[in-house]
Amino acid sequence: MPTQFQPESWWQVDLGSVEDVEQIAVWNRTGCCADRLTNVYVLVSGTPFTSGSLSQTLAQPGVWAYHHTGQGGTPSLVDVGRTGRYVRVQLVGNHALSLAEVQVYGRARNAARAMTNH
């Protein structure tokens, strides 16, 4: 699922309610374009993200962030250990974001919901 080439491309999901987010698995593509998942942030918030700007999102109160500087794996696992409703994967720079899959795990269940592309 690729985005357009644009500044700070992102993908996000609304889990529908605030959940205990223990871990997020971000799966890179294997057939082509694996370099498009490099230098990426994984962001979690209990309230909606108010901006598409990475710097503004990082400054938004209550946003938890993890920065993965290398190329994404199959998968790249991110330990979160906090509550959140919104999960975003966002690139640094002007590139197309390309993901194979994102899995959000909670304590008691796998929370996978509708996707929003940008």
Side-chain angles (χ1 to χ4, degrees):
M1 167 187 60
T3 64
Q4 300 295 318
F5 281 84
Q6 60 192 31
E8 302 174 339
S9 296
W10 55 265
W11 170 93
Q12 73 180 28
V13 64
D14 177 350
L15 300 174
S17 61
V18 174
E19 303 286 346
D20 290 323
V21 179
E22 294 300 317
Q23 189 176 63
I24 298 171
V26 180
W27 293 79
N28 200 352
R29 292 176 59 175
T30 57
C32 84
C33 317
D35 61 325
R36 291 185 181 175
L37 189 60
T38 301
N39 200 13
V40 64
Y41 276 87
V42 176
L43 307 155
V44 177
S45 178
T47 59
F49 296 110
T50 58
S51 175
S53 161
L54 181 57
S55 63
Q56 289 180 15
T57 300
L58 290 170
Q60 181 180 324
V63 171
W64 177 91
Y66 172 81
H67 186 201
H68 183 82
T69 57
Q71 183 172 301
T74 54
S76 292
L77 298 174
V78 178
D79 292 323
V80 179
R82 65 160 286 156
T83 60
R85 177 175 173 167
Y86 302 90
V87 175
R88 180 183 284 183
V89 177
Q90 188 161 7
L91 287 179
V92 175
N94 186 21
H95 305 285
L97 173 63
S98 190
L99 298 166
E101 185 172 345
V102 176
Q103 297 173 335
V104 179
Y105 296 98
R107 284 190 191 151
R109 64 178 179 241
N110 176 338
R113 307 279 200 255
M115 296 183 266
T116 303
N117 242 354
H118 173 74

